[in-house]
């Protein structure tokens, strides 16, 4: 079954404590992306990756890091989380160039206190 | 940066009625327009991906049209059912930034029994 798997689904953490949200896809997609969803703002792109070792900033990259060492995995790293990073996060993958549908992970609800 | 706007922000419809809503996107350098259905506590799921001006796609009671010259797409739901209650997201990507799929803030649809 084609899927994008995110972990954890829910996370409560404290300000400044480094955390990683994992994302893995089994469709051999080259393109992967992270989004955050906040009320009234839709999905905003944080980082994306066109292929292994190729990553680029989206619209709201501040405070986040990513890596793409393998094609299937695209972890999102918060080195020093702050309360304004409390949000719902989605990972997605697709074939390149956005002409095919994106498959989304289940979402990670992060709360930073 | 592409701006994708959806209207209305929310919509309440009586069961059995038909409805439609709009997605507006910049028409220059257009590449693809996506529609997603997003139920509470689930991940967005793709409904349609359209690339050609005049495209019309249909899936059951849901259909969509695309006008790339004027930069809009309509999503239609015929004979609304309670299970149609969800947020409908549209997203656009352009040739100059084809790797960035930019989402609107969504139309939240509620069906009254």
């Amino acid at each position: 079954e084609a899927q994008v798997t995110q972990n954890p689904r829910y996370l409560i953490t404290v300000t400044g404590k480094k955390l990683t949200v994992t994302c893995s896809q089994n469709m051999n997609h080259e393109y992967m992306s992270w989004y955050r969803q906040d009320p009234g703002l839709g999905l905003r792109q944080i980082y994306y990756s066109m292929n292994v070792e190729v990553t680029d900033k989206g619209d709201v990259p501040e405070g986040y890091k990513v890596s793409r060492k393998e094609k299937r995995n695209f972890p999102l790293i918060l080195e020093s989380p702050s309360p304004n990073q409390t949000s719902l996060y989605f990972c997605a993958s697709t074939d390149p160039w956005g002409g095919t549908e994106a498959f989304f992970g289940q979402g990670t609800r992060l709360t930073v206190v | 940066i592409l701006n994708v706007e959806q209207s209305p922000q929310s919509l309440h419809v009586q069961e059995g009625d038909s409805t439609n809503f709009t997605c507006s996107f910049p028409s220059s350098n257009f590449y693809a327009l996506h529609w997603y259905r997003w139920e509470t506590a689930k991940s967005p799921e793709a409904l349609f991906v359209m690339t050609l001006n005049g495209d019309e796609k249909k899936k059951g009671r849901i259909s969509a049209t695309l006008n790339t010259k004027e930069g809009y797409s309509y999503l239609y739901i015929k004979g609304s059912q309670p299970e149609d209650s969800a947020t409908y997201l549209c997203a656009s990507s352009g040739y100059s930034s084809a790797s960035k799929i930019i989402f609107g803030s969504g139309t939240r649809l509620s069906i009254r029994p």
Side-chain angles (χ1 to χ4, degrees), chain A residues 23-44:
Chain A
C23 175
S24 180
Q25 50 97 1
N26 64 359
M27 294 164 280
N28 204 37
H29 284 159
E30 292 181 350
Y31 176 82
M32 298 184 74
S33 181
W34 277 101
Y35 299 88
R36 62 178 287 174
Q37 196 273 325
D38 301 293
L41 293 178
L43 289 172
R44 293 183 294 168

Side-chain angles (χ1 to χ4, degrees), chain A residues 76-89:
Chain A
L76 179 70
I77 303 156
L78 284 72
E79 294 272 1
S80 182
S82 62
N84 65 11
Q85 292 178 297
T86 293
S87 189
L88 178 60
Y89 292 87

Side-chain angles (χ1 to χ4, degrees), chain A residues 9 31 35 37 40-43 45 48 50 57-59 88 90 94 97-102 104-107, chain B residues 1 9 31-32 34 36 38 41-46 49 51 89 93 95 98-106:
Chain A
R9 294 287 308 275
Y31 176 82
Y35 299 88
Q37 196 273 325
L41 293 178
L43 289 172
Q45 193 176 50
Y48 63 97
M50 291 297 292
K57 297 177 180 179
D59 297 315
L88 178 60
F90 284 100
T94 186
W97 307 114
T100 56
E101 67 180 272
F104 285 83
Q106 309 95 310
Chain B
I1 298 176
Q9 196 169 24
Y31 186 80
H34 303 225
Y36 294 85
W38 188 11
K42 295 186 178 180
S43 310
E45 291 184 347
V49 179
T51 57
L89 295 170
S93 60
Y95 276 106
S99 57
K100 294 175 66 171
I101 303 174
I102 308 299
F103 284 84
S105 54

Side-chain angles (χ1 to χ4, degrees), chain A residues 65-85:
Chain A
K65 287 174 61 177
V66 292
S67 69
R68 189 89 181 273
K69 294 184 171 58
E70 307 165 277
K71 199 171 188 179
R72 64 184 290 123
N73 296 322
F74 190 45
L76 179 70
I77 303 156
L78 284 72
E79 294 272 1
S80 182
S82 62
N84 65 11
Q85 292 178 297

